[in-house]
Amino acid sequence: YMPSALPGISAGKVSELLQQTDRLIKTVPEVQSVFGKAGRAETATDPAPLEMFETTIQFKPRDQWRPGMTTDKLVEELDRVVKVPGLSNIWVPPIRNRIDMLATGIKSPVGIKIAGTNLQQLDRIAGEIERIVKRVPGVSSALAERLSGGRYIDIDINREVSARYGLNVADVQGIVSAAIGGDNIGETIEGLQRFPINVRYPREVRDSVEKLRQLPVLTERGAQIRLGDVAAIRISDGPPMLKSENARLSGWVYVDIRGRDMSSVVRDMQRAVAMELKLPAGYAVSWSGQFEYMERAAAKLKVVVPATLLIIFVLLYMTFKRFDEAALIMATLPFALAGGVWLLWILGHHLSVASAVGFIALAGVAAEFGVIMLLYLKHAWDERRGMGKTGADDLLDAIRHGAVLRVRPKAMTVAVIIAGLVPIMVTPGTGSEIMQRIAAPMIGGMISAPLLSMFVVPAVFLLMRRRELGSTIAGT
């Protein structure tokens, strides 16, 4: 659970929201444990702002879930239960989230990046995009990162006044750094462990501008003055975090999708943004996140799939030495894939890269079915012609004989493929979602592809050879 709050939130409020969301998540019976974190860890590789939560949820074993409960239903129930004003919900698997954030920086399935030069313009454009995409069906949440709203304490040192007291800028800055940020004055040793001793003013002093103005400063002459005497202290607004890509400032919009496939939702969002948003000169919008991976894969598939089909057609032509027979096998492929499409629709799976891989494998098996069936039919017909039987009834008898010979081997092939893939469809576990989307087209295609090769291919072969017989008799 990775929601984002608005900038400027206090540490106390963050702690309160973490406890509140943890309690809400724990009310779901399938949840075993909840652990939430806000802000960045003690590492430079995790620049998370204070307003970004990271709550890890561990579920109970599946045998303890309510009947009919699935992971998708759990996420939907959690999204209904955890409704906190000011938080935009995002639910994502932890490992996939880390990979996405390392590759694109986007923690949600879809991210919109706005690049430009002015923070105020970027903030305005991001807010407009958030408002536009929220109305698109399938968008469960959308949040634009606020590029303003950060609170800073500016300490503007007056050089002339400081010089009159015998202080330079470095002296005043050192005092401010030690009093507010802390300064290590020593070290304690406990066995093999060493701990620094850090001294600074308490939080109630550091969090008050008026008390910071009263901060005592000791000059070299021994005089004690206030920090407000040598510096102007005030609170100013600014960006909570600066982000840049390709040497340009950028603002991000996080979008979570549920109930629709990612591709169609993104197309609708792109269309809505293009119609309603007018970008100033020098600003650009790009779409990132998991959608970026899908776009790359789709671009590669647009090249790989036609090239593969072309190679298959050339190989078929080299095998049969006839253009019409090679075209027959290629024409049967779309109809053979119909079973896979229907099973995907029945299971409620969206078309994805994994499903495309399954369809490519199914196309290979369907082409194999058609090739073997056509070879058996040609062999049976060649035997009849070798015996001088070249009539229409002999052609029909040869087709029946060749098609029947393929029933048992085809049934064995289909049974073996289905027996190997059904356990993937019914077994839950890590990686099962991807494997199920690869196996579903194969299982559905094992119903339509054999029927097509056993009924359609012989019928088309009969029509092709009957036309040749008719033209031969007419020529005679």
Side-chain angles (χ1 to χ4, degrees):
Y1 173 57
M2 293 193 68
S4 295
L6 297 178
I9 189 171
S10 65
K13 188 61 178 179
V14 167
S15 177
E16 179 185 342
L17 288 176
L18 274 177
Q19 296 177 18
Q20 181 180 354
T21 54
D22 287 355
R23 284 195 296 266
L24 291 173
I25 293 172
K26 201 67 175 65
T27 59
V28 178
E30 284 77 11
V31 174
Q32 181 173 348
S33 63
V34 184
F35 178 78
K37 177 188 80 71
R40 71 182 65 190
E42 293 293 333
T43 171
T45 62
D46 185 19
L50 184 64
E51 58 267 16
M52 190 175 81
F53 298 175
E54 297 181 26
T55 301
T56 303
I57 305 168
Q58 184 176 1
F59 294 131
K60 296 178 181 178
R62 287 183 178 268
D63 55 3
Q64 301 180 23
W65 291 11
R66 286 168 288 178
M69 182 60 68
T70 62
T71 304
D72 293 337
K73 292 181 180 179
L74 270 178
V75 172
E76 292 178 1
E77 182 170 348
L78 286 169
D79 195 56
R80 290 194 304 268
V81 170
V82 186
K83 292 292 185 183
V84 179
L87 294 184
S88 178
N89 290 348
I90 292 179
W91 309 88
V92 61
I95 297 177
R96 189 181 73 186
N97 170 258
R98 286 304 177 191
I99 294 174
D100 291 344
M101 291 188 71
L102 286 173
T104 65
I106 299 297
K107 63 180 181 179
S108 57
V110 178
I112 307 172
K113 297 180 178 180
I114 307 100
T117 56
N118 185 274
L119 286 177
Q120 284 73 25
Q121 281 281 28
L122 289 175
D123 197 24
R124 180 189 63 81
I125 295 172
E128 290 186 11
I129 292 178
E130 174 190 337
R131 176 183 55 81
I132 294 171
V133 300
K134 274 184 176 180
R135 302 196 299 264
V136 176
V139 175
S140 59
S141 66
L143 176 69
E145 281 192 339
R146 270 43 175 189
L147 303 181
S148 61
R151 296 293 186 268
Y152 296 90
I153 297 178
D154 282 348
I155 301 178
D156 188 7
I157 302 173
N158 191 318
R159 296 173 180 267
E160 295 181 359
V161 176
S162 299
R164 286 200 295 267
Y165 286 106
L167 299 173
N168 56 34
V169 175
D171 295 332
V172 180
Q173 288 179 341
I175 295 171
V176 171
S177 175
I180 300 177
D183 192 14
N184 292 337
I185 62 172
E187 189 177 57
T188 177
I189 302 175
E190 299 181 10
L192 297 178
Q193 297 179 331
R194 296 172 180 264
F195 301 97
I197 302 174
N198 188 279
V199 177
R200 62 176 176 174
Y201 278 92
R203 181 181 296 274
E204 57 269 16
V205 175
R206 292 183 279 116
D207 288 349
S208 172
V209 175
E210 186 58 36
K211 291 182 178 180
L212 287 178
R213 292 193 181 102
Q214 303 299 325
L215 198 68
V217 177
L218 189 64
T219 67
E220 292 183 354
R221 299 174 182 175
Q224 184 171 333
I225 62 175
R226 300 175 305 167
L227 181 61
D229 295 334
V230 294
I233 304 175
R234 60 183 178 273
I235 296 178
S236 60
D237 294 336
M241 180 183 292
L242 290 176
K243 293 182 179 178
S244 64
E245 284 191 359
N246 299 322
R248 302 178 71 192
L249 294 173
S250 65
W252 295 355
V253 181
Y254 301 112
V255 182
D256 197 14
I257 295 173
R258 193 167 297 116
R260 290 183 63 191
D261 65 289
M262 186 185 303
S263 179
S264 61
V265 175
V266 173
R267 302 299 179 199
D268 291 346
M269 288 193 294
Q270 289 176 336
R271 192 179 303 110
V273 170
M275 291 176 58
E276 301 184 32
L277 179 66
K278 292 183 179 179
L279 284 175
Y283 292 80
V285 174
S286 60
W287 302 77
S288 185
Q290 297 176 27
F291 174 75
E292 187 175 345
Y293 301 144
M294 188 179 66
E295 286 288 285
R296 294 176 186 173
K300 293 181 179 178
L301 288 174
K302 289 178 181 179
V303 177
V304 172
V305 172
T308 304
L309 294 177
L310 179 61
I311 294 173
I312 292 175
F313 180 78
V314 172
L315 294 176
L316 290 174
Y317 180 78
M318 294 172 63
T319 300
F320 297 113
K321 307 298 182 183
R322 291 174 60 106
F323 179 83
D324 55 352
E325 293 179 353
L328 168 61
I329 301 300
M330 297 299 295
T332 59
L333 293 183
F335 301 99
L337 305 181
V341 175
W342 279 105
L343 185 58
L344 282 180
W345 179 77
I346 293 172
L347 296 176
H349 294 171
H350 299 303
L351 185 62
S352 61
V353 176
S355 302
V357 172
F359 277 112
I360 292 174
L362 174 60
V365 177
E368 178 190 358
F369 284 169
V371 169
I372 301 300
M373 175 61 74
L374 194 56
L375 288 175
Y376 269 74
L377 295 178
K378 290 185 65 174
H379 182 66
W381 176 231
D382 291 340
E383 285 184 351
R384 296 299 189 280
R385 290 200 303 180
M387 293 184 295
K389 299 179 180 180
T390 58
D393 293 337
D394 299 323
L395 173 61
L396 186 59
D397 181 64
I399 291 175
R400 287 172 178 169
H401 178 72
V404 169
L405 289 177
R406 281 299 300 155
V407 173
R408 181 178 294 178
K410 196 175 296 294
M412 292 176 60
T413 303
V414 171
V416 169
I417 293 176
I418 292 179
L421 295 179
V422 165
I424 298 177
M425 295 295 298
V426 300
T427 303
T430 304
S432 60
E433 295 181 355
I434 301 298
M435 295 305 299
Q436 287 173 2
R437 281 154 178 77
I438 296 176
M442 291 287 293
I443 294 178
M446 286 302 100
I447 299 175
S448 58
L451 294 177
L452 181 77
S453 63
M454 287 191 294
F455 293 103
V456 178
V457 173
V460 176
F461 183 79
L462 174 63
L463 295 176
M464 293 167 54
R465 290 297 185 266
R466 182 179 290 174
R467 186 174 66 250
E468 294 178 2
L469 287 177
S471 60
T472 302
I473 295 174
T476 305

